[in-house]
Amino acid sequence: MSEAPEQNPQPPPAAVTDAAKKQALARLRRALPRESLLTRPEQLKPYESDGLTALREMPWVVVLPETEDALRAVLEICREHGIPVVPRGAGTGLSGGARPSGDGVLLGLSKMNRILEVDLDNCAARVQPGVRNLAISEAVAEHGLYYAPDPSSQIACSIGGNVAENSGGVHCLKYGLTVNNVLGLKVLTLAGDELLIGGPGGDPESLDLLALFCGSEGLLGVVTEVWVRLLPVPPERRVLLAAFPTVEGAAGSVAAIIGRGLIPAGLEMMDTPAIQAAEAFVHAGYPANAGAILLCELDGVPAEVDADAEMVSRVFAEFGADEVQVATSTEEQARLWLGRKAAFPAVGRLAPDYYCMDGTIPRASLAEVLTRIGGLSERYGLAVANVFHAGDGNLHPLILYDANAPGELERAERFGADILALCVAAGGTVTGEHGVGVEKLDPMCGQFSAAELEQFARLKAAFDPDGLMNPGKAIPTLSRCSEIGGMHVHGGRLPFPNLERF
Amino acid sequence: MADLGEELLQAVATARDQGQPLSIAGTGSKSFLTRPETAVRDSRLLSTVEHTGVVDYRPDELVVTVRTGTLLRELAQTLAREGQMLGFEPPEFRGLGTVGGAVASGLAGPGRPARGSVRDAVLGVQMINGLGERLVFGGQVMKNVAGFDVSRLQAGAYGMLGLLLEVSLKVLPRPQAELTLRLEKSATDAHAEMRRWARLPHPISAAAWLEEGLWVRLSGAEAAVNQTAAALGGEHQTDNDFWSGLKDHGLPLFRRDGLCCRHLPPASAPSAEDELIEWLGARRWSTSAPGAVGYQPFAAGFARHRCRDGGGDGKIADYQARLKAAFDPDSLFNPELTDADVPA
């Protein structure tokens, strides 16, 4: 079959001229109230990065629309003058998805932060994108309902950002990711088309745009409203902590619990360096000498939780747990979770900087992947602590380094890239929940073939033919992949010996 | 059990060279869903029925990867041997439904509100797009945000974006205990009861109202199931026939002429036409709906969108069409679904 000469389905947008910026700025000033348009360096500075602070760039301007009309005007101006648009929620993202473009508008949605409607009858709420994740649960708590996905940044992160990243959290093993808990969206495309997708009633009528927009990292359009699903708060919760002499015992327990038919609300693992760091930081009462600990949260009606707790305790004993703590009161549960929730800052005390990775692997490969990460740690001369959403295979190795020591940042980055390649070779993925953003563009070249990347690019172009929505994020160009010598090792299809090349 | 991936890839490439449209089909168990009256533009049948087999099954990981021609019935047996199942309970339609058809149609059964929809269970796909390229999206793990979620997009796409070769699905453990109750209720009372349950953390895995009976299925830990059963009352049913009849459309209601289904916000008040209310109120069936917009038989593709009442300014259909073109620029796949000129 003859093929057209290879071409990028969506070339990068042309450079923005000063004349275009000048005209656009004048129009933005007319379209927006003074407090919604930030242009001075000291105003722009707080927006120079998202939660991935290593990647910074000053935006050209920041706009903070309060209304859909203002938002629509901004998109129209950007489209007409060829100016890139970088949407941003609360800026807590960890992959640089909201890193500004020096030529572009940083579109902050934090002022669109109203809960528009709580529909108790349908167990749903309609909210604006800037509403904080936790604020939804707080608003409906009095009715015995809550919004299930709980990313660790839930105090600060916004629902719009959650949709863009398809955020998870410690309870997504049982309750699913953002995509499984959102019922509908209102989206504005760069062309100014308003798309009403789904809602509180039933399944989609045609192509499932709702699923497509979840995790699309702001490349397709701007989410202006979100319908979320609300669930009844479980009447009973219990948290069990088990300490194991080795990672293998903990990993075996995870497989056994799930293999025997129980899906806990949460199932988290920490290795020795992470345990010791957490214990030194918050004194949660973790056994500091353990090789690994598991935290298992069970919820449901009391009879169910009793039966499940008995089963889990049996598994822990079978797999050689040295110690099991059971927390029934809210206070004790909070104490057991404290160490896990403080793990990142705790590890942050061990070294001037740390680099948080986010690969997912099949759980069966856990012990092997951790052993190899240990080997890499020695080779690169950098310590690593592992925190793991064990139930769903999402691994967060935290690489410790000192950005002020010459060469350490580069070493940490190479170490991280090797970890992600390990994840792909084990049949996993380069990002479980933090997104690709800018950070994982190169590892994407290893996970996807040229044809798959081109398919992604054509998909983006279907919604954003001008290529101005968050350009340069999430999907690497083919030329980028060929520059880094794109090593495509697809979904574990290559046999394990290939791991040796790292 | 055979891997026909290469043959299917070749068939698509040849058809593309010849400008020959293709109609993707498994066993044809769902052909009654897709407007048989619509003239099909000279398309050639592309069958997946012999592309069968479980490629990879890891019970501990709660995931199975299957070739799309595999019968749902056979997959269910494989899963049952490990005490697992598909949570979305796809209709098997006389035992003929295939895994590919289940994903492509996006049809879910009674467990949908409690256990999620078809696309909620889709973790990855291997597919052939309209350019004749074999592509892999998603994977075998629960959490994966690398690239656009093209795999979930295939659920309910009726093959318009390409031919599915393999799908990876999330599976669930079978409940330890399960029992069914039937309570005598009017439609209004049954609906009110379902909505009350939706707000409570009961181990209810399905509920449906039919012929003055409110059927409820309880699933989970034995103690929890028994406790809830005692609280709800009603008469215990000894077999599972009602649920399989509902799932596979074997109940007499499904053989009646003019049967239509509609999806609604679940709390919408029942109407006099509702003959079957399921999904805690979110899906209703009727044989006597007065030509109301929104009441339509199952119909695929863009047609399905046009049947929708309210919402949107018609722009969605444009983007759906562009999305189709992004995957299948020459409209190679399933022209009968996209050519149909359906009145709005």
Side-chain angles (χ1 to χ4, degrees):
Chain A
M1 178 169 41
S2 65
E3 287 292 345
E6 199 165 282
Q7 53 181 358
N8 198 327
Q10 189 166 43
V16 184
T17 64
D18 287 343
K21 282 186 187 168
K22 196 175 161 197
Q23 287 170 357
L25 185 60
R27 287 182 66 190
L28 286 170
R29 284 192 203 286
R30 283 197 298 276
L32 295 166
R34 179 189 292 268
E35 64 277 9
S36 289
L37 178 62
L38 312 181
T39 56
R40 295 197 305 274
E42 71 274 18
Q43 292 176 310
L44 302 179
K45 184 80 177 161
Y47 295 90
E48 67 178 349
S49 81
D50 60 13
L52 183 64
T53 51
L55 299 176
R56 294 160 200 260
E57 185 167 356
M58 287 285 269
W60 168 54
V61 298
V62 173
V63 300
L64 303 169
E66 284 182 54
T67 64
E68 275 182 37
D69 286 344
L71 171 60
R72 184 184 289 275
V74 169
L75 293 183
E76 184 182 319
I77 293 166
C78 288
R79 184 170 58 87
E80 288 176 6
H81 295 280
I83 290 172
V85 178
V86 178
R88 173 184 162 116
T92 56
L94 293 171
S95 56
R99 188 186 74 160
S101 153
D103 269 345
V105 163
L106 186 85
L107 175 61
L109 294 153
S110 55
K111 289 188 174 178
M112 291 177 67
N113 61 355
R114 283 180 305 134
I115 294 178
L116 300 169
E117 185 178 351
V118 175
D119 182 346
L120 292 175
D121 291 340
N122 285 306
C123 299
R126 187 166 59 94
V127 304
Q128 288 188 314
V131 171
R132 289 176 307 112
N133 173 296
L134 192 59
I136 301 173
S137 291
E138 286 169 353
V140 298
E142 60 177 307
H143 305 291
L145 298 169
Y146 77 116
Y147 174 64
D150 58 345
S152 54
S153 56
Q154 72 176 146
I155 294 173
C157 65
S158 68
I159 190 72
N162 290 175
V163 169
E165 302 295 325
N166 191 15
S167 307
V170 294
H171 293 110
C172 60
L173 175 62
K174 181 169 177 180
Y175 294 103
L177 306 159
T178 303
V179 68
N180 310 115
N181 287 279
V182 161
L183 300 169
L185 295 175
K186 188 155 91 177
V187 171
L188 205 52
T189 65
L190 190 70
D193 293 324
E194 186 176 279
L195 309 181
L196 290 170
I197 302 166
D203 281 357
E205 291 76 6
S206 186
L207 297 176
D208 194 343
L209 300 185
L210 183 55
L212 180 61
F213 269 87
C214 289
S216 62
E217 301 199 23
L219 269 70
L220 305 180
V222 180
V223 170
T224 58
E225 282 182 16
V226 185
W227 272 106
V228 298
R229 182 171 70 134
L230 303 174
L231 294 178
V233 176
E236 173 101 359
R237 274 185 217 278
R238 201 165 303 168
V239 179
L240 289 84
L241 178 145
F244 295 86
T246 62
V247 166
E248 283 77 7
S253 297
V254 172
I257 290 168
I258 290 170
R260 291 178 200 178
L262 176 61
I263 299 186
L267 195 53
E268 298 284 310
M269 191 190 298
M270 292 164 71
D271 72 356
T272 310
I275 297 166
Q276 289 175 352
E279 194 47 32
F281 185 34
V282 294
H283 313 293
Y286 288 2
N289 295 320
I293 61 165
L294 272 185
L295 277 167
C296 177
E297 182 170 308
L298 303 167
D299 67 10
V301 295
E304 194 178 11
V305 174
D306 286 341
D308 292 350
E310 205 182 299
M311 193 269 247
V312 169
S313 302
R314 267 201 313 274
V315 170
F316 286 162
E318 230 173 274
F319 282 82
D322 296 325
E323 180 186 337
V324 178
Q325 300 178 29
V326 181
T328 43
S329 73
T330 317
E331 297 73 35
E332 286 173 278
Q333 290 171 12
R335 175 178 64 81
L336 289 188
W337 272 118
L338 183 63
R340 166 63 186 88
K341 293 193 170 168
F344 286 19
V347 168
R349 295 166 75 235
L350 301 182
D353 301 282
Y354 70 86
Y355 184 31
C356 172
M357 308 308 296
D358 170 45
T360 301
I361 55 173
R363 282 186 304 266
S365 321
L366 173 65
E368 178 167 6
V369 168
L370 286 187
T371 304
R372 286 172 187 276
I373 290 176
L376 289 168
S377 167
E378 277 177 34
R379 182 173 327 163
Y380 284 103
L382 295 173
V384 62
N386 285 292
V387 178
F388 188 46
H389 299 303
D392 43 38
N394 190 197
L395 187 64
H396 293 312
L398 304 168
I399 300 171
L400 307 182
Y401 71 100
D402 178 357
N404 290 325
E408 277 209 7
L409 171 62
E410 292 70 25
R411 249 183 18 249
E413 284 177 345
R414 284 206 309 279
F415 185 1
D418 282 0
I419 291 176
L420 295 182
L422 267 176
C423 293
V424 175
T429 178
V430 298
T431 172
E433 58 182 357
H434 294 170
V436 174
V438 182
E439 185 200 17
K440 294 180 202 87
L441 286 170
D442 289 346
M444 285 286 283
C445 302
Q447 188 167 338
F448 292 99
S449 70
E452 287 153 1
L453 294 172
E454 284 187 288
Q455 183 62 72
F456 284 144
R458 284 194 302 275
L459 190 162
K460 174 169 171 44
F463 288 86
D464 175 28
D466 301 304
L468 293 173
M469 286 303 304
N470 215 4
K473 309 280 176 65
I475 311 297
T477 59
L478 295 184
S479 57
R480 181 185 184 117
C481 290
S482 59
E483 270 168 35
I484 63 159
M487 27 121 218
H488 174 61
V489 285
H490 223 323
R493 214 147 302 135
L494 292 183
F496 253 78
N498 284 274
L499 290 174
E500 292 306 331
R501 63 204 175 88
F502 305 115
Chain B
M1 169 134 183
D3 179 1
L4 294 193
E6 277 307 312
E7 286 83 345
L8 290 166
L9 193 63
Q10 194 52 51
V12 173
T14 306
R16 184 169 180 244
D17 284 348
Q18 299 169 346
Q20 166 69 61
L22 296 167
S23 289
I24 302 169
T27 57
S29 71
K30 298 180 191 69
S31 56
F32 68 97
L33 297 175
T34 50
R35 314 194 159 245
E37 75 274 18
T38 310
V40 177
R41 159 161 72 92
D42 281 339
S43 73
R44 182 190 294 162
L45 182 74
L46 185 62
S47 173
T48 61
V49 281
E50 288 177 30
H51 182 59
T52 59
V54 172
V55 179
D56 192 10
Y57 177 27
R58 307 182 199 183
D60 290 354
E61 311 274 346
L62 299 177
V63 58
V64 66
T65 301
V66 197
R67 293 195 190 102
T68 44
T70 310
L71 291 177
L72 287 165
R73 194 179 54 192
E74 287 170 8
L75 176 59
Q77 286 164 2
T78 302
L79 299 178
R81 280 196 288 276
E82 300 290 338
Q84 297 187 334
M85 61 180 187
L86 293 177
F88 55 89
E89 297 186 73
E92 291 177 17
F93 295 128
R94 295 167 287 126
L96 292 175
T98 62
V99 171
V103 172
S105 67
L107 296 180
R112 190 249 177 276
R115 296 170 179 159
S117 63
V118 180
R119 65 95 140 138
D120 288 329
V122 174
L123 300 178
V125 299
Q126 187 188 123
M127 63 184 289
I128 302 172
N129 67 4
L131 299 176
E133 298 167 328
R134 192 203 287 236
L135 309 173
V136 178
F137 297 103
Q140 283 84 44
V141 289
M142 303 291 159
K143 282 163 92 175
N144 183 356
V145 291
F148 295 119
D149 197 342
V150 172
S151 45
R152 286 198 178 89
L153 185 60
Q154 305 308 318
Y158 280 87
M160 287 188 296
L161 304 181
L163 169 70
L164 302 180
L165 288 176
E166 287 176 14
V167 293
S168 294
L169 298 171
K170 178 183 172 177
V171 299
L172 294 179
R174 282 184 168 281
Q176 209 185 79
E178 192 156 86
L179 67 80
T180 296
L181 303 171
R182 184 182 179 280
L183 295 89
E184 196 73 22
K185 298 266 182 211
S186 69
T188 308
D189 291 349
H191 179 259
E193 194 69 351
M194 288 190 223
R195 294 318 301 155
R196 197 173 66 82
W197 292 338
R199 297 271 301 272
L200 296 173
H202 278 322
I204 291 176
S205 64
W209 175 85
L210 176 75
E211 291 165 357
E212 304 306 308
L214 171 56
W215 300 72
V216 53
R217 187 178 65 191
L218 305 172
S219 309
E222 193 157 1
V225 166
N226 291 337
Q227 218 172 57
T228 310
L232 292 183
E235 60 184 281
H236 285 235
Q237 306 295 310
T238 47
D239 58 43
N240 220 16
D241 290 358
F242 176 77
W243 300 113
S244 57
L246 183 61
K247 172 172 87 77
D248 298 326
H249 296 194
L251 297 173
L253 173 75
F254 291 99
R255 286 193 289 277
R256 287 170 53 191
D257 286 340
L259 183 67
C260 301
C261 132
R262 62 176 176 161
H263 291 167
L264 291 175
S268 314
S271 75
E273 287 81 27
D274 291 337
E275 288 162 71
L276 168 61
I277 303 175
E278 55 173 343
W279 292 5
L280 297 174
R283 188 158 80 170
R284 322 266 174 107
W285 299 78
S286 169
T287 52
S288 58
V293 178
Y295 265 113
Q296 292 286 342
F298 284 126
F302 301 136
R304 282 160 39 104
H305 180 69
R306 290 184 213 175
C307 296
R308 188 170 182 215
D309 53 332
D313 51 6
K315 290 288 184 190
I316 283 190
D318 296 346
Y319 284 89
Q320 307 265 22
R322 286 195 222 168
L323 197 49
K324 158 87 173 161
F327 282 84
D328 180 18
D330 305 321
S331 283
L332 205 59
F333 295 117
N334 293 355
E336 69 275 21
L337 300 181
T338 46
D339 287 358
D341 185 18
V342 181

